[in-house]
Amino acid sequence: MIPRYSREEMTKIWSAEHRFKIWEDIEVNACDALAELGVIPKQAAENIRKNAGWNIDRIDEIEKTTRHDVLAFLTNMSENIGEDARFLHQGMTSSDVLDTAFAVQLKESSDLLLEGLEKVLKALKVKVEENLSLITIGRSHGIHAEPTSFGLKLATHYAAFSRARKRLTAAKAEIATCAISGPVGTFATVNPFVEQFVAKKLGLSIEPISTQIIPRDRHAMFFATLGVIASSIEAFAIEIRHLQRSEVREAEEPFAKGQKGSSAMPHKRNPVLAENLTGLARIIRAAVVPAMENVALWHERDISHSSVERVIAPDATIALDFALSRLASLIEGMTVYKERVLENLNSLGGLHFSQRLLLALTQKGMSREHAYAKVQSVAMELWHEIQQGKKVHFKDKVLSDSEIQNLLSQSEINACFDDAFYIQHANLIWERVLREMEN
């Protein structure tokens, strides 16, 4: 991933230095396990741990000849260790190192991503509770529907990211497996104790059955989880982009002092952060299909998955880490324009009360079909008058309709036109969201 969309802590996980350090830990711990088994001398294991070292430039130089990264690494380590280097990599195969190290990197990446999700949830919770009693118009198909709580609009995203946290926690556990089982996974040349020993040292679980690699359905699930999280990020970003449109103007992402919205138009305040998040979501989801296709490999292994993972793993995790950090900042700095929210709510003269009137008429004995036609007729008449610029209200139209007046008293009609009615359960819904998160 390019530096523009990278954070240092995540990029370090995917650096060559960190990868080789994990390889070293695997090899050294494997030697310690072999020493405990009596397969190699304990003094040799101690010497290997003491003298183990490597140099990236030297590894690159050797790889030009070997065309094999693990062998280049082992050759360079051997140069530093000396005679006892003959005990390195005893009974192991390259994938024992590569896949186990990959598991460590994915586990470490998951920890950072979970931290990012926590920051998003914390920021969202504050905004939900600040706006739970703010009545706003709900929209379906982008069109005014019925009122809701602005806080509940945000709470739907809070619930989504709570689910994301659970999914990522499960995906992390599934991906964090160690496989040191030798060629084609039979343990014929390496005792299963070595795998158990190394797994414990690295904070991994053992892979119950590997071929020559860890099964790639684990990785497919991991990247699918990242893709779903990316879609949840985009869902929030799309909402902000809509609410910030000039015609809506209900909410706005942060706009810093000195920030410029356009090279040509000084008045512009564009939703660039939210648009950036939409783009990053596309990048992250692009890793999902290749990860799925990596599941199907030839027999006990091939390396068609390797080049894919060298690209998608750092790119997807780095991009998601950046996106979560940007999203948290966006939410923290987001402005809700409450006056504009109420203005938009009332902009169609109370047409959003149509269902309450419909239900009130059916309760008085009018058929649903007749009640629907009657309310729609009054509503459409009002709609056309509003388009002509007239300042009219649905309630006034209803009060002047004799058929409705014959069934409903003025107090009953008044009761149909109460915005607070629509958010009477807002606190209950929010409490349910919080309880679900705790389970």
Side-chain angles (χ1 to χ4, degrees):
M1 181 54 63
I2 63 174
R4 185 181 184 90
Y5 303 128
S6 304
R7 298 197 321 139
E8 184 179 4
E9 196 171 0
M10 183 64 87
T11 57
K12 281 183 178 178
I13 291 173
W14 298 105
S15 68
E17 291 85 356
H18 189 61
R19 181 175 72 254
F20 289 137
K21 181 62 175 69
I22 300 170
W23 289 11
E24 177 189 329
D25 289 343
I26 293 168
E27 293 288 354
V28 168
N29 282 312
C31 287
D32 287 344
L34 290 169
E36 285 200 24
L37 290 170
V39 175
I40 69 173
K42 287 192 175 182
Q43 186 60 52
E46 290 175 7
N47 290 340
I48 289 170
R49 179 173 289 279
K50 179 180 178 182
N51 297 309
W54 40 267
N55 178 275
I56 292 178
D57 292 337
R58 177 59 179 148
I59 293 171
D60 291 342
E61 181 185 352
I62 298 169
E63 190 177 354
K64 290 176 183 177
T65 300
T66 64
R67 306 290 180 90
H68 194 293
D69 53 356
V70 175
L71 280 175
F73 172 77
L74 291 170
T75 299
N76 184 213
M77 278 190 70
S78 297
E79 291 172 343
N80 295 313
I81 292 169
E83 182 181 350
D84 287 329
R86 70 185 189 276
F87 297 118
L88 277 175
H89 208 65
Q90 286 274 311
M92 296 165 59
T93 187
S94 299
S95 291
D96 291 334
V97 177
L98 294 169
D99 276 11
T100 300
F102 192 35
V104 172
Q105 289 173 297
L106 292 176
K107 177 174 174 285
E108 292 174 342
S109 298
S110 298
D111 289 336
L112 287 183
L113 295 175
L114 286 166
E115 289 178 13
L117 282 170
E118 289 295 341
K119 291 176 181 176
V120 168
L121 287 166
K122 181 179 179 181
L124 267 176
K125 185 177 182 182
V126 171
K127 293 297 183 181
V128 169
E129 293 177 348
E130 285 178 354
N131 295 283
L132 203 55
S133 62
L134 177 60
I135 303 170
T136 185
I137 190 64
R139 299 173 175 91
S140 56
H141 305 276
I143 306 300
H144 283 205
E146 291 189 354
T148 183
S149 154
F150 198 94
L152 287 185
K153 285 170 69 72
L154 302 177
T156 62
H157 299 282
Y158 184 92
F161 286 111
S162 295
R163 293 190 293 272
R165 183 174 60 180
K166 291 180 181 179
R167 294 187 188 109
L168 184 55
T169 299
K172 171 189 168 184
E174 187 164 333
I175 206 67
T177 60
C178 170
I180 299 181
S181 50
V184 302
T186 63
F187 293 104
T189 55
V190 59
N191 192 298
F193 173 76
V194 176
E195 182 181 71
Q196 296 168 12
F197 185 94
V198 175
K200 184 176 181 180
K201 291 290 185 180
L202 298 180
L204 303 174
S205 58
I206 62 167
E207 176 57 51
I209 179 168
S210 55
T211 53
Q212 194 158 310
I213 60 168
I214 292 173
R216 256 45 195 181
D217 61 289
R218 294 182 179 273
H219 303 76
M221 179 55 70
F222 179 83
F223 287 104
T225 299
L226 301 194
V228 174
I229 296 173
S231 292
S232 294
I233 292 173
E234 183 180 15
F236 187 89
I238 289 289
E239 182 70 19
I240 297 303
R241 289 170 63 187
H242 170 68
L243 294 178
Q244 190 166 330
R245 287 172 54 228
S246 302
E247 295 82 359
V248 181
R249 301 199 310 278
E250 293 182 5
E252 185 180 43
E253 68 176 38
F255 193 83
K257 183 178 181 180
Q259 182 175 337
K260 305 293 189 289
S262 165
S263 64
M265 298 167 282
H267 72 279
K268 294 296 291 295
R269 294 167 69 95
N270 300 329
V272 293
L273 299 179
E275 289 172 341
N276 175 251
L277 291 173
T278 295
L280 288 171
R282 295 169 185 166
I283 294 295
I284 297 160
R285 286 195 300 266
V288 177
V289 171
M292 296 287 185
E293 293 174 342
N294 277 352
V295 175
L297 302 175
W298 286 21
H299 304 297
E300 280 63 53
R301 81 158 298 193
D302 64 51
I303 65 163
S304 60
H305 63 92
S306 177
S307 57
V308 176
E309 290 167 352
R310 289 173 192 255
V311 175
I312 67 171
D315 279 4
T317 54
I318 290 170
L320 183 54
D321 174 65
F322 182 88
L324 288 170
S325 178
R326 172 153 287 184
L327 177 59
S329 296
L330 187 159
I331 296 167
E332 289 168 0
M334 181 178 69
T335 300
V336 178
Y337 295 109
K338 297 185 178 182
E339 294 79 7
R340 181 65 181 181
V341 169
L342 296 177
E343 184 181 341
N344 285 342
L345 173 68
N346 297 314
S347 63
L348 294 184
L351 282 178
H352 58 263
F353 294 112
S354 67
Q355 184 186 194
R356 292 215 66 203
L357 182 62
L358 163 68
L359 296 177
L361 291 172
T362 61
Q363 290 292 317
K364 291 294 184 176
M366 186 180 286
S367 73
R368 181 177 178 84
E369 292 75 16
H370 187 180
Y372 192 104
K374 165 55 66 175
V375 174
Q376 186 181 47
S377 174
V378 177
M380 291 305 102
E381 181 182 342
L382 175 67
W383 169 264
H384 290 299
E385 291 181 4
I386 289 174
Q387 305 321 304
Q388 297 167 9
K390 296 181 180 180
K391 299 293 183 182
V392 288
H393 197 277
F394 191 35
K395 183 178 178 182
D396 296 330
K397 288 285 185 181
V398 170
L399 288 171
S400 65
D401 187 281
S402 59
E403 186 177 9
I404 294 176
Q405 282 190 315
N406 286 336
L407 288 176
L408 297 174
S409 67
Q410 183 162 344
S411 62
E412 289 172 328
I413 291 173
N414 288 339
C416 293
F417 291 83
D418 177 14
D419 283 324
F421 174 86
Y422 294 96
I423 66 165
Q424 60 182 305
H425 301 301
N427 286 312
L428 169 67
I429 296 170
W430 177 230
E431 288 169 5
R432 294 198 314 185
V433 170
L434 293 175
R435 283 200 301 271
E436 175 66 19
M437 186 193 74
E438 294 169 357
N439 294 333

